[in-house]
Amino acid sequence: MRFLIIVKACAEPEADTRPDADLTAAMAEFHAALARDGALLDAASLAPDAEGWCIRYGEAGPRVEVGGFDEPGQRISGYTLIQARSGDEALEWARRFPTPHGASRPAQIEVHPVLGPADPHPGRQA
């Protein structure tokens, strides 16, 4: 089963800064451990919202908006895609995820199963 670990952006406005050396080392070790276990499929940080765009759909059709999409707690700053044998194994990996914005700063990650075309979708009758 594949699982997507989503790193939520911190509450402060996005800045063009890099994480400190300790956090960079912790993330590198975490991803190396995933790779050694054969669980790492992909991982990346995302550029700030100002460098992206959003397409909103409505009655008038799609509308393109450049940068600054949602409230800070709604933005995504990075992700890790893993392969796990079960939800419990994915949860154990998620518990080991380094605090994304540094040990003294609040942070949130989300973990979602990745559904393929043949997988049953929650809420949908089979």
Side-chain angles (χ1 to χ4, degrees):
M1 299 174 65
R2 293 176 300 157
F3 293 86
L4 184 64
I5 301 171
I6 300 169
V7 178
K8 302 299 268 213
C10 59
E12 295 92 25
E14 289 182 308
D16 195 16
T17 59
R18 295 276 177 205
D20 66 32
D22 290 341
L23 179 55
T24 300
M27 285 293 192
E29 177 51 38
F30 175 74
H31 287 101
L34 282 167
R36 283 191 300 274
D37 193 56
L40 181 64
L41 298 176
D42 192 23
S45 294
L46 302 180
D49 280 358
E51 297 179 33
W53 55 91
C54 175
I55 301 174
R56 298 196 190 265
Y57 297 88
E59 289 182 17
R63 185 181 78 232
V64 177
E65 295 178 9
V66 177
F69 310 127
D70 292 315
E71 294 300 313
Q74 310 257 328
R75 294 189 315 249
I76 297 170
S77 63
Y79 69 90
T80 299
L81 181 63
I82 65 171
Q83 180 76 33
R85 291 176 279 285
S86 67
D88 288 339
E89 181 183 0
L91 176 59
E92 288 308 310
W93 279 115
R95 285 184 173 144
R96 294 174 56 188
F97 201 94
T99 304
H101 307 299
S104 64
R105 297 178 66 199
Q108 176 181 330
I109 64 171
E110 293 180 4
V111 181
H112 295 266
V114 176
L115 303 174
D119 294 325
H121 289 259
R124 192 182 290 175
Q125 298 290 334

